[in-house]
Amino acid sequence: TVFGDPPLAGARLADRLVPGDRPRLAAAIADALRGTPAQLEVGVGNGDRPRTIALALSCLPEEDGALALLSARDVTPERDLQL
């Protein structure tokens, strides 16, 4: 669930991803659940223009399986400066 940005707050991240980034995120989650940390940038829909979000994923082992911990940061301003 997304926190913070009002147009995205309360939305499921997967529902707001740019469609081409969904397979990349799924692969990163699978890697994280196998114990391989992953980092990637994805596009997230936000009105007229997608935002660029940097994601870091890692594994949290649990007794009844593993969980993927996902940390996200909006890097759109930094990427805009690179253009």
Side-chain angles (χ1 to χ4, degrees):
T1 302
V2 178
F3 299 98
D5 189 2
L8 297 175
R12 286 177 4 112
L13 177 61
D15 293 341
R16 297 299 182 109
L17 280 180
V18 171
D21 287 341
R22 289 181 184 147
R24 293 177 53 236
L25 178 58
I29 291 170
D31 287 346
L33 289 173
R34 285 191 297 270
T36 303
Q39 294 183 349
L40 71 154
E41 290 186 4
V42 296
V44 176
N46 183 10
D48 298 340
R49 184 175 150 233
R51 309 288 295 177
T52 301
I53 307 297
L55 302 175
L57 296 98
S58 57
C59 182
L60 295 176
E62 296 287 326
E63 288 181 22
D64 57 347
L67 300 173
L69 173 66
L70 183 146
S71 299
R73 186 170 70 88
D74 185 348
V75 295
T76 304
E78 290 94 337
R79 296 305 167 260
D80 287 349
L81 288 174
Q82 291 176 350
L83 294 177

